């Protein structure tokens, strides 16, 4: 007699099926990625998940208590909306939302860059090869553990270069050399793909040169387009065929455009898509960050981002205390769509659906004895 699949396995398999059309009939484009307040869904969360503009959900540390709890949470989300994209910021180092109950503590990406540079007494280039193997291991462990709990994707890897002054980037960056950062990011992405997870390169065209933190300030990078394309944007050019999604920076580059990159047609359409050849999904960064305030209200920012070329828009940490800001965004965007202030895009919706895993995840207990996973664990930097 066959064993009945668990709720989370059933939900994950449903999400894994390639979807050519959205399940909602009101709008053919679901661009909003929102969050939830607690460890389980409340009535407001369930209502918002069924809104025709909701296409994704991002989890935070406040949504984590245990593997069983977050697995049940993801299963309920998928039971309501099988096509919704469940995501999390889970890079390693100081940006890792789930850290207990068996989750591996992943190193900051700088540790991989340091490994690259350390040949010791070995032959030249040995450090780079070991770092590439470790980077693939990081990507695989990260993705396999998240997927075993029902999470579809993580917003990783960081492609920003480590210029030194940026505290918000810092050790989240692989290296200051675009060539090293690109190769290590490619290896991480290979590990993610091995576990069936999409990737997200961030923060285009680069947040590492400026000291200001776009969460609390409006950073301005005064370099020329030529200088930015020669360094910070190089990973996006070199990875254009393997990046599945990109998140632009809430940084203003005044010699290119007066608007931050995430609200700029020049950056997103002329440079990222036309010049660098990127064809995947584009997420806005969090519309509640100070760096996005130049666009106006959350709704105005979402409209500006969508019109600039974003396929999806994030609004984070606004579900607390009733989540009126989330409802205002959903209602505001729907009204703006009816007024013709932005257009629903079938191409954007297809790019969103392409980010959903195409295979069922491995159950946690099965993963813990899986040979490739155990081998990957042994390759992580210590």
């Amino acid at each position: 007699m066959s064993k009945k699949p668990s709720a989370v396995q059933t939900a994950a398999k449903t999400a894994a099926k390639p979807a050519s059309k959205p399940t909602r009939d009101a709008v053919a484009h679901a661009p909003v990625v929102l969050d939830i307040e607690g460890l389980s869904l409340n009535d407001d969360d369930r209502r918002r998940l069924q809104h025709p503009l909701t296409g994704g959900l991002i989890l935070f540390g406040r949504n984590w208590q245990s593997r069983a709890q977050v697995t049940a949470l993801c299963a309920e989300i998928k039971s309501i909306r099988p096509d919704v994209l469940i995501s999390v910021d889970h890079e390693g180092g100081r940006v890792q939302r789930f850290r207990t109950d068996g989750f591996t503590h992943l190193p900051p990406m700088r540790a991989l860059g340091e490994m690259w540079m350390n040949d010791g007494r070995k032959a030249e280039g040995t450090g780079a090869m070991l770092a590439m193997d470790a980077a693939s291991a990081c990507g695989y462990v990260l993705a396999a553990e998240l997927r075993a709990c029902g999470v579809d994707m993580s917003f990783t890897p960081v492609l920003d270069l480590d210029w030194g002054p940026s505290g918000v980037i810092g050790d989240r960056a692989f290296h200051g050399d675009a060539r090293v950062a690109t190769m290590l990011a490619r290896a991480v992405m290979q590990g993610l793909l091995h576990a069936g997870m999409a990737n997200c390169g961030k923060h285009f065209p680069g947040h590492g040169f400026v000291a200001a933190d776009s969460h609390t300030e409006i950073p301005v990078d005064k370099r020329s387009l030529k200088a930015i394309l020669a360094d910070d944007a190089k990973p996006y050019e070199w990875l254009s065929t393997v990046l599945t999604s990109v998140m632009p920076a809430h940084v203003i580059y005044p010699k290119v455009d007066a608007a931050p990159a995430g609200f700029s047609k020049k950056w997103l359409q002329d440079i990222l898509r036309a010049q660098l050849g990127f064809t995947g999904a584009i997420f806005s960064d969090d519309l509640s960050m100070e760096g996005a305030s130049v666009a106006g209200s959350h709704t105005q920012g979402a409209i500006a981002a969508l019109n600039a070329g974003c396929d999806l828009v994030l609004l984070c940490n606004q579900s607390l205390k009733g989540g009126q800001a989330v409802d205002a965004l959903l209602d505001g965007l729907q009204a703006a769509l009816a007024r013709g202030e932005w257009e629903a895009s079938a191409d954007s919706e297809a790019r969103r659906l392409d980010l959903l895993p195409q295979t069922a995840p491995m159950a946690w207990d099965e993963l813990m004895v899986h040979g490739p996973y155990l081998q990957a664990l042994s390759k992580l930097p210590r």
Side-chain angles (χ1 to χ4, degrees):
M1 183 174 180
S2 61
K3 184 179 179 181
K4 184 178 179 180
S6 67
V8 69
Q9 289 172 324
T10 301
K13 287 179 180 178
T14 301
K17 295 179 180 178
S20 57
K21 295 180 181 179
T23 57
R24 306 155 314 284
D25 55 12
V27 177
H29 179 190
V32 177
V33 181
L34 45 78
D35 63 0
I36 60 174
E37 183 172 12
L39 299 174
S40 59
L41 298 179
N42 58 36
D43 289 342
D44 286 331
D45 297 325
R46 296 184 185 95
R47 171 177 54 80
R48 292 173 190 136
L49 276 171
Q50 296 178 73
H51 194 285
L53 295 184
T54 299
L57 188 147
I58 181 169
L59 300 175
F60 288 93
R62 68 173 181 274
N63 306 126
W64 165 265
Q65 183 180 63
S66 67
R67 284 189 289 106
Q69 167 267 321
V70 85
T71 301
L73 172 61
C74 290
E76 184 180 3
I77 291 166
K78 291 291 188 177
S79 72
I80 296 170
R81 280 286 304 282
D83 73 315
V84 79
L85 182 72
I86 302 177
S87 61
V88 67
D89 269 332
H90 199 89
E91 305 165 5
R94 55 195 160 101
V95 182
Q96 181 171 335
R97 304 307 184 198
F98 309 155
R99 296 173 176 268
T100 57
D101 201 9
F103 263 84
T104 301
H105 288 201
L106 296 165
M109 294 300 98
R110 178 185 285 169
L112 297 169
E114 292 170 346
M115 180 182 287
W116 178 291
M117 302 302 294
N118 183 20
D119 286 329
R121 297 181 179 179
K122 300 175 182 178
E124 184 177 357
T126 301
M129 296 301 98
L130 292 173
M132 291 282 286
D133 199 26
S136 294
C138 284
Y140 181 74
V141 170
L142 183 157
E145 291 182 353
L146 287 176
R147 290 208 61 210
C149 293
V151 178
D152 295 321
M153 73 168 287
S154 173
F155 290 107
T156 191
V158 169
L159 298 181
D160 301 313
L161 302 185
D162 185 7
W163 288 96
S166 175
V168 70
I169 302 301
D171 65 1
R172 297 166 67 192
F174 292 101
H175 203 273
D177 187 318
R179 298 167 298 180
V180 176
T182 297
M183 293 304 293
L184 290 173
R186 183 182 289 273
V188 168
M189 290 154 56
Q190 181 183 29
L192 295 172
L193 179 63
H194 187 199
M197 182 176 282
N199 60 69
C200 182
K202 60 186 186 183
H203 308 83
F204 176 79
H207 198 316
F209 190 80
V210 291
D213 179 354
S214 55
H215 291 85
T216 57
E217 303 175 72
I218 302 173
V220 177
D221 186 335
K222 297 181 180 180
R223 291 178 298 163
S224 67
L225 175 60
K226 181 179 180 180
I228 296 168
L229 291 179
D231 279 311
D232 298 67
K234 273 296 181 185
Y236 297 91
E237 176 184 351
W238 292 331
L239 297 170
S240 65
T241 60
V242 291
L243 278 170
T244 49
S245 67
V246 163
M247 179 180 288
H250 284 327
V251 176
I252 297 173
Y253 308 87
K255 292 186 178 178
V256 182
D257 196 333
F263 305 117
S264 166
K265 288 183 180 180
K266 183 163 186 178
W267 275 116
L268 301 185
Q269 297 185 31
D270 297 346
I271 299 174
L272 180 59
R273 291 215 186 275
Q275 185 173 340
L276 302 184
F278 176 66
T279 61
I282 301 176
F283 289 86
S284 80
D285 205 345
D286 177 12
L287 295 172
S288 70
M289 290 165 57
E290 184 62 25
S293 65
V294 297
S297 68
H298 297 150
T299 299
Q300 291 169 329
I303 294 169
L306 292 167
N307 285 334
C310 287
D311 302 296
L312 298 112
V313 293
L314 277 86
L315 184 64
C316 303
N317 299 312
Q318 302 302 304
S319 63
L320 308 177
K321 299 179 180 179
Q324 290 87 353
V326 183
D327 289 329
L329 173 62
L330 291 169
D331 294 343
L333 264 188
Q334 193 163 45
L337 179 64
R339 294 192 298 267
E341 294 177 13
W342 67 282
E343 294 184 2
S345 167
D347 289 340
S348 289
E349 182 67 359
R351 287 190 281 264
R352 181 187 76 83
L353 293 171
D354 282 345
L355 296 174
L356 290 167
Q358 300 301 303
T359 59
M362 188 174 294
W364 187 273
D365 289 346
E366 184 182 356
L367 180 65
M368 292 300 102
V369 294
H370 187 53
Y373 173 77
L374 296 175
Q375 174 69 359
L377 285 178
S378 73
K379 296 293 185 177
L380 297 180
R382 302 300 176 188

